Each structure stands twice: as structure tokens, then as C-alpha cells.
């Protein structure tokens, strides 16, 4: 935080700030110099903060009416839907809010991948982000169990059984997680507790995520280090606040569309049948946001290796700052990486699609190829690309191409040879 | 000087050791409280009356919150189960070892892949088929095809009399 010295104007303010510098913090957040070329892909950090707060607030309200007991959970959710004033609204916001949260986080992650935001000096921001993402998946899974429908029960059974793949201690761990010999009431009550806890862990990590961000400052679409504050920056308030606010409004329109017009489209009809330990639904699928990883799990014919592959697919992201050997951050100046980036996007979408389909025949074959490519991208393509790729010239500052006389970055780059770096 | 440092090292090591034991003593109850409690363990056995089960039929009973399949097998099914060569099996087990009384197959109706309940009389081997991830089991509950690593588990059980099975 390279702020100028800040002194509150009022006497009371000064007295308070000398004892707890909250006003200095507020001043830092207001004046925080931000690259002036940030595009709308940079608004998802703010949108995600909104999503987290929405989930916490609606979750608190739901917890006032929900009963975490195997015999009553299902009925209590129906009670929320039918009897509690605006219960339907609050529950639909919470349920669809989870999907919106993941939608935003995937855009946020893929923005980082495109503009190289995970590279030095932002590795710690990135790794905290991956931990947040893992906790989000845990919270989403635990929350999905609480209504105690058929998908809740069997989803919980399948996911907890993943731990049984661990040699020797696996069965013991699963029994420990369940608190019994199958998913049952003890499992439900502990899942409720953990589901309640995790959002607050995420909130703490979000603070660290933003703190770590404010050390080097934001990356930007051309991915260069900029001087702060300078002609390349604008203060966070009002410029970014307004831009983030506008993007948030657009996002809320999409959110509201799901809540009010198709509140169940992202869920599964089987979850409106109460949990039955004797009958497994014919086709178990996780929520859409976990499908790519589910496809990876199923594409490996061995139980333990399947679980390892699925976990590696997530954890490999944490190693990304070191797997990507290119010094150039933004894909704008990396003609080859840009293509591989879009192939990766397509690959993940394909994995998501086959994850929703039965694991047989052509679907299984596609899932296997897509899984192999996913790992190939991170373990082979990215490390080699950094050495082989001929990047295009990067401007020295954000302002330079514009003051150079042309708003067309590509034209300016071609004209000037000296900017090669 | 040398002597003083040694005395301090001892104090540090002793403090860490006692501290570690103390932390362990506090952490273990916090972990173990999640294991099955006394009331769960108390429900660990079940008696089932099987007199109404006809040959070729399966009943499902709940034991420890899990389904148990009790199948009264026909003579053809027994012959088929016994005819399978052990080399063909992913998890080689003789049918005799799985069904002490060959007419009755008593096993946990839980797929050994990720814990779904397989469907009766389905799949490529006329046994069970798990709809979750496509594991096929034969009429002895042995894994034949698909991702499940082992045969379906045989619980501890005994015939209390001709018509009653005690599981657990």
C-alpha cells in the first residue's frame, strides 16, 4: 500500500483514526489507483463479493426456518417454500445464488487465465483464489445435501465414498465422515454446521485476496506493470465503483431472470423426492458447476486413480504461475497462447457436457480425450509455449499507444519497432 | 555458555513435548466425536424372516442404514454362479465362499464404486447393475465389468432357524 499520508479533517476523526486507522483504510480504498483500461471482465470481483454477501444473508434467514434432522429436513424445506412469508423467494435466491456465484467465479478465473493475472507478482492472490474456489465447491456440495431429497442423499453418498478410494484408512475415514454406517442423521447435522461455517472462512480469505491484490495493484488487459498513481491510473472511486455498479446491475438482471422465471431449471427434479436409502435414482448428476470434474472422475476406469485425477484437475491450477513459463502476461500479445486458451475453454465446456451424459460409448471416449487434453494444456503446452512462442510487441504504458496517435493498438505496434521487449 | 544453551534446549524440548501431548489430548475427542456414537452402534444387528421369499426373488432390508439384498437363487442361477472360472474375475472369489447356503445370497446392496444401490436382474451378467457409473455384477454379486474395484460385500450373518436370518 503505497498511499500518501492521510489525516482526517475533523478533530474527532483524527482522534479516532490515531487509535484505529479505519479512516486511513477507507481513504486507501477510495483513492486506490486502478489501471484506466480495465474492461468489464474486471467487474466480476465486485460481483463475486455481492454473491457471497447474498448467500450469507439469505442463508442466515433460511437457517431460521430449516430443521437439520433426517426426519424433518425435507418437510422443513417445503415449509419454507409454502408457509414462510417470502420463503420461496429467499430459498430460490439462495439456490440460484449458488449457481450465479459459480457462473461469476468461472468468468473471474478464465479472465485471469486470459490476461495472465496469476503471474508474478500475483501468485499469492491466485492461490488464495484457488482455495476460495475449493471452499466454494465444498460449501455448494454441503448445501445441496441439506434439503434431504434423493439427489441430496445420493450425491452425499457418492461424494463421501470418494474418500473410500484412499488405501487402508479410506473406509475408516468414510465412517468417520458419516458418523455411522451410511449417510444418515449424524451426517446431515454435521454437514449443516460446516455449510454454515465455510462462507465465513471464504469471507476471511476474500479479505486476504483483496489485501494481496492491493500490494501490486490490479493487472490490466495489456498485462504490463504500471506506475501508480500516474496517467495510467484512475482512482477506484468514483470510476471503478460506477463501472462495477453498472456491471452488477446487468448481472442482477440475469440473476433475477433465473429466480423469477426458471427457478428450478438448474436443479434436479429428483431432489423434490424425499431421500430414500433403498433406491438410487437412475441417473445421478452433480450440479452443473461440478460437471467438468465429474467427467474427469468418470473417465478414469480405476477408482483411486479417478479420484486422484479429479483432485489434480483442481490442484494443478495452484501450480499454474510456475507451469506457465511465459514472461508476457496478457494473451493479447501471445498469438499462440490465445488459440490454446480458447481450446481450453472449449475443452472444459465439452467436459461439462459429457459429465451430464451417461458414462458410456462415445461420451466416455470424448470424456477421456478431453481429460487428457486438459492435463496436456497445463503440463505440456503451457511450459513449452513460454519458450517457443514469438510474442508481439508490448506497449510501455497504457497511455502510450493512444498518445502515439492511433487508438488501434495493433497498428501502433506494427509501426514502432523499438517497443519490442 | 555451552552449558546454559543445553539447559535451555532441554526446557524447550520438554515444553514442546508436553504441549504436543496436551494438544493431542484435546484434539482427539474433537475428532472422535464424529465417529459412530453408541446409539448408532446399538442398532448394529437385524433379524429377517425370509419364509415368504420365493426362488428367483430378492428382498431388500435395511441394516445399519444400508440396503441388504437377500436373494433366494434358483438352481440355474446357482449352477451359473458356480460355473464361472476364477480367472475371469476382477476380484476372484468362489461362489461357495460368498453363499454358504447356495440357495441364499445375502450381501450388502451397495456398489463398491461409490456407494449407489445396484438394480436387481439387470446388466450383462443377469445379476445387478449399478446405474450411477455402470458397474455390472453377476448372480453371485461379483464385479464383472465397470469401475467398481471389488465384489459386493457379504455382511456377517447366520441362520437363526430355517426361516430367520440374523444380520450383523
Amino acid at each position: 500500500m503505497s498511499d500518501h499520508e492521510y489525516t482526517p479533517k475533523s478533530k474527532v476523526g483524527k482522534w479516532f483514526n490515531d487509535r484505529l486507522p479505519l479512516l486511513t483504510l477507507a481513504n486507501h480504498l477510495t483513492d486506490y489507483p486502478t489501471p484506466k483500461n480495465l474492461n468489464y471482465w474486471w467487474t466480476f470481483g465486485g460481483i463475486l463479493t455481492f454473491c457471497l454477501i447474498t448467500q450469507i444473508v439469505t442463508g442466515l434467514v433460511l437457517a431460521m426456518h430449516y430443521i437439520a434432522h433426517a426426519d424433518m429436513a425435507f418437510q422443513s424445506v417445503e415449509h419454507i417454500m409454502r408457509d414462510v412469508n417470502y420463503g420461496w423467494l429467499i430459498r430460490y435466491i439462495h439456490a440460484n445464488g449458488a449457481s450465479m456465484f459459480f457462473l461469476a467465479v468461472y468468468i473471474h478465473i478464465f479472465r485471469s487465465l486470459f490476461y495472465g493475472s496469476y503471474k508474478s507478482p500475483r501468485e499469492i492472490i491466485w492461490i488464495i483464489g484457488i482455495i476460495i474456489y475449493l471452499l466454494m465447491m465444498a460449501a455448494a456440495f454441503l448445501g445441496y445435501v441439506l434439503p434431504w431429497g434423493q439427489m441430496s442423499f445420493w450425491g452425499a453418498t457418492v461424494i463421501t465414498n470418494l474418500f473410500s478410494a484412499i488405501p487402508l484408512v479410506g473406509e475408516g475415514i468414510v465412517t468417520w465422515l458419516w458418523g455411522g454406517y451410511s449417510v444418515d442423521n449424524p451426517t446431515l447435522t454435521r454437514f449443516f454446521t460446516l455449510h454454515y461455517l465455510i462462507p465465513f472462512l471464504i469471507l476471511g480469505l476474500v479479505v486476504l485476496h483483496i489485501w494481496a491484490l492491493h500490494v501490486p495493484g490490479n493487472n490490466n488487459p495489456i498485462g504490463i506493470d504500471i506506475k501508480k498513481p500516474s496517467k495510467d491510473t484512475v482512482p477506484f472511486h468514483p470510476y471503478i465503483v460506477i463501472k462495477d455498479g453498472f456491471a452488477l446491475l446487468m448481472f442482477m438482471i440475469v440473476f433475477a431472470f433465473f429466480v423469477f422465471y426458471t427457478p428450478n431449471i438448474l436443479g434436479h427434479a429428483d431432489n423434490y423426492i424425499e431421500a430414500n436409502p433403498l433406491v438410487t435414482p437412475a441417473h445421478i448428476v452433480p450440479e452443473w458447476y461440478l460437471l467438468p470434474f465429474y467427467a474427469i472422475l468418470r473417465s478414469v476406469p480405476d477408482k483411486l486413480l479417478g479420484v486422484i485425477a479429479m483432485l489434480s484437475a483442481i490442484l494443478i491450477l495452484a501450480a499454474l504461475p510456475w507451469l506457465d513459463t511465459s514472461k508476457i502476461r496478457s494473451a493479447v500479445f501471445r498469438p499462440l497462447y490465445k488459440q490454446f486458451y480458447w481450446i481450453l475453454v472449449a475443452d472444459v465446456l465439452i467436459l461439462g457436457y459429457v459429465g451430464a451424459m451417461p458414462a458410456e460409448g462415445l461420451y466416455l471416449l470424448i470424456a477421456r480425450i478431453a481429460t487428457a487434453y486438459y492435463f496436456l494444456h497445463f503440463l505440456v503446452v503451457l511450459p513449452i509455449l513460454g519458450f517457443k512462442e514469438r510474442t508481439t510487441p508490448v506497449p510501455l504504458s497504457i497511455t502510450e499507444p493512444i498518445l502515439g496517435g492511433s487508438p488501434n493498438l495493433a497498428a501502433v505496434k506494427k509501426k514502432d519497432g523499438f517497443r519490442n521487449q | 555458555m555451552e552449558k546454559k544453551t543445553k539447559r535451555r534446549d532441554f526446557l524447550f524440548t520438554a515444553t514442546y513435548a508436553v504441549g504436543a501431548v496436551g494438544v493431542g489430548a484435546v484434539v482427539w475427542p474433537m475428532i472422535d466425536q464424529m465417529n459412530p456414537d453408541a446409539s448408532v452402534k446399538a442398532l448394529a444387528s437385524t433379524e429377517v424372516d425370509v419364509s415368504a421369499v420365493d426362488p428367483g426373488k430378492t428382498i431388500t432390508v435395511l441394516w445399519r442404514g444400508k440396503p441388504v439384498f437377500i436373494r433366494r437363487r434358483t438352481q440355474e442361477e446357482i449352477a451359473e454362479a458356480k460355473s464361472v472360472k476364477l480367472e475371469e474375475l476382477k476380484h476372484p472369489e468362489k461362489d461357495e465362499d460368498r453363499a454358504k447356503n447356495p440357495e441364499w445370497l445375502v450381501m450388502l446392496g451397495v456398489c463398491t464404486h461409490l456407494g449407489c444401490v445396484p438394480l436387481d436382474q439387470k446388466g450383462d451378467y443377469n445379476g445387478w447393475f449399478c446405474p450411477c457409473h455402470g458397474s455390472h455384477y453377476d448372480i453371485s454379486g461379483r464385479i464383472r465389468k465397470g469401475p467398481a474395484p471389488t465384489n459386493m460385500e457379504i455382511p456377517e450373518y447366520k441362520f437363526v432357524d430355517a426361516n430367520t436370518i440374523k444380520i450383523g
Side-chain angles (χ1 to χ4, degrees):
Chain A
M1 298 193 201
S2 56
D3 286 22
H4 55 91
E5 215 38 53
Y6 168 77
T7 327
K9 286 195 183 73
S10 74
K11 248 190 165 168
V12 180
K14 194 177 173 316
W15 178 89
F16 183 85
N17 204 49
D18 285 344
R19 282 151 186 81
L20 179 68
L22 271 185
L23 293 168
T24 304
L25 179 66
N27 177 259
H28 161 79
L29 294 175
T30 314
D31 285 356
Y32 173 64
T34 323
K36 66 181 183 185
N37 61 342
L38 295 189
N39 56 34
Y40 275 105
W41 300 115
W42 259 265
T43 58
F44 283 87
I47 287 169
L48 283 162
T49 311
F50 165 80
C51 287
L52 177 61
I53 292 167
T54 304
Q55 291 307 86
I56 289 178
V57 171
T58 51
L60 281 171
V61 175
L62 288 173
M64 293 178 190
H65 303 280
Y66 171 77
I67 301 165
H69 189 285
D71 296 337
M72 288 176 275
F74 188 81
Q75 276 78 4
S76 78
V77 171
E78 283 311 301
H79 161 74
I80 290 170
M81 294 302 288
R82 292 154 196 252
D83 303 337
V84 175
N85 300 330
Y86 294 103
W88 59 272
L89 176 65
I90 294 155
R91 176 162 176 266
Y92 277 153
I93 291 175
H94 196 73
N96 286 283
S99 281
M100 292 301 113
F101 207 155
F102 276 95
L103 174 68
V105 92
Y106 282 129
I107 295 174
H108 195 63
I109 291 171
F110 274 100
R111 188 268 293 157
S112 285
L113 292 181
F114 189 84
Y115 294 110
S117 302
Y118 49 85
K119 292 187 191 183
S120 172
R122 297 184 179 82
E123 301 95 323
I124 297 294
I125 311 172
W126 172 254
I127 289 170
I128 292 172
I130 297 298
I131 298 171
I132 294 174
Y133 173 51
L134 278 171
L135 285 176
M136 277 175 65
M137 289 198 278
F141 159 68
L142 295 169
Y144 196 63
V145 176
L146 304 184
W148 212 240
Q150 272 288 65
M151 276 293 157
S152 300
F153 184 89
W154 291 101
T157 301
V158 168
I159 300 294
T160 48
N161 262 306
L162 291 178
F163 291 90
S164 71
I166 302 168
L168 300 176
V169 291
E171 294 294 334
I173 291 177
V174 173
T175 304
W176 177 71
L177 287 173
W178 287 340
Y181 304 106
S182 62
V183 173
D184 209 333
N185 192 51
T187 325
L188 177 60
T189 49
R190 67 190 56 181
F191 276 21
F192 179 55
T193 308
L194 295 172
H195 181 69
Y196 210 121
L197 166 72
I198 289 177
F200 296 100
L201 297 181
I202 293 178
L203 189 63
L205 284 166
V206 166
V207 171
L208 294 184
H209 194 61
I210 296 172
W211 186 1
L213 168 71
H214 280 228
V215 177
N218 293 67
N219 184 30
N220 61 78
I222 60 173
I224 56 165
D225 290 323
I226 51 169
K227 251 184 81 189
K228 295 165 292 175
S230 72
K231 277 185 177 166
D232 276 349
T233 66
V234 289
F236 187 77
H237 183 77
Y239 297 95
I240 301 298
V241 169
I242 290 297
K243 187 163 186 156
D244 276 0
F246 178 70
L248 179 59
L249 276 176
M250 294 294 118
F251 185 80
M252 285 161 88
I253 291 173
V254 177
F255 198 143
F257 172 80
F258 280 104
V259 170
F260 291 107
Y261 290 91
T262 63
N264 286 310
I265 198 169
L266 298 169
H268 201 296
D270 275 353
N271 222 28
Y272 283 101
I273 304 169
E274 191 169 1
N276 179 353
L278 292 179
V279 182
T280 305
H283 189 44
I284 293 193
V285 273
E287 294 284 84
W288 68 267
Y289 39 80
L290 301 175
L291 286 173
F293 300 109
Y294 193 59
I296 291 174
L297 169 75
R298 297 195 304 180
S299 73
V300 182
D302 182 83
K303 180 170 161 178
L304 178 60
L305 292 179
V307 174
I308 291 174
M310 184 179 69
L311 288 177
S312 314
I314 304 166
L315 295 179
I316 203 170
L317 293 172
L320 184 57
W322 296 276
L323 289 171
D324 185 346
T325 51
S326 175
K327 293 273 174 282
I328 305 296
R329 291 196 192 101
S330 175
V332 171
F333 308 107
R334 300 185 61 190
L336 284 177
Y337 173 72
K338 199 190 281 179
Q339 293 173 32
F340 282 112
Y341 170 85
W342 288 111
I343 296 172
L344 179 72
V345 172
D347 189 62
V348 172
L349 291 175
I350 289 168
L351 279 172
Y353 174 73
V354 292
M357 295 293 137
E360 55 197 28
L362 189 61
Y363 293 125
L364 191 58
L365 181 70
I366 295 172
R368 285 182 176 159
I369 295 170
T371 299
Y373 183 78
Y374 181 90
F375 286 104
L376 220 61
H377 175 89
F378 290 105
L379 293 174
V380 179
V381 174
L382 286 187
I384 293 176
L385 212 54
F387 297 108
K388 298 281 179 207
E389 189 177 34
R390 281 180 59 124
T391 54
T392 56
V394 176
L396 293 172
S397 75
I398 296 169
T399 327
E400 189 210 9
I402 295 128
L403 296 182
S406 168
N408 184 345
L409 206 60
V412 176
K413 274 181 300 175
K414 275 185 197 134
K415 199 173 63 189
D416 300 302
F418 73 91
R419 288 193 191 91
N420 289 355
Q421 50 170 188
Chain B
M1 209 62 198
E2 179 99 345
K3 207 180 167 192
K4 254 189 182 173
T5 316
K6 275 183 179 163
R7 182 184 160 85
R8 205 148 259 210
D9 281 349
F10 172 78
L11 286 172
F12 278 136
T13 310
T15 312
Y16 292 145
V18 173
V21 171
V23 169
V26 175
V27 166
W28 176 245
M30 304 302 278
I31 293 173
D32 192 43
Q33 53 84 20
M34 281 174 70
N35 273 318
D37 60 36
S39 72
V40 170
K41 285 180 184 159
L43 299 172
S45 79
T46 292
E47 287 196 10
V48 191
D49 178 9
V50 293
S51 55
V53 184
D54 294 327
K57 293 273 179 242
T58 305
I59 59 164
T60 307
V61 295
L62 208 59
W63 172 68
R64 291 181 165 186
K66 283 177 181 166
V68 173
F69 294 154
I70 301 177
R71 182 168 181 87
R72 187 168 188 180
R73 300 190 296 184
T74 61
Q75 289 309 316
E76 299 86 74
E77 287 172 343
I78 297 169
E80 190 191 325
K82 287 190 190 291
S83 71
V84 179
K85 291 198 196 91
L86 283 187
E87 303 88 73
E88 291 171 33
L89 297 170
K90 188 171 172 184
H91 176 197
E93 273 185 320
K94 283 187 198 154
D95 187 60
E96 294 91 291
D97 296 336
R98 293 179 57 78
K100 282 170 271 181
N101 176 351
E103 198 180 353
W104 295 96
L105 177 67
V106 180
M107 68 179 175
L108 276 187
V110 175
C111 180
T112 55
H113 182 225
L114 293 173
C116 297
V117 179
L119 303 169
D120 196 27
Q121 305 261 269
K122 287 255 168 64
D124 297 354
Y125 296 88
N126 296 321
W128 285 266
F129 171 70
C130 181
C132 291
H133 307 94
S135 293
H136 300 256
Y137 296 89
D138 66 15
I139 195 62
S140 186
R142 293 175 294 200
I143 179 68
R144 303 299 290 270
K145 199 171 121 186
T150 58
N151 301 337
M152 278 193 267
E153 209 181 308
I154 305 292
E156 227 173 86
Y157 70 92
K158 63 179 178 206
F159 279 86
V160 180
D161 55 54
N163 288 329
T164 313
I165 299 176
K166 185 183 176 197
I167 308 169

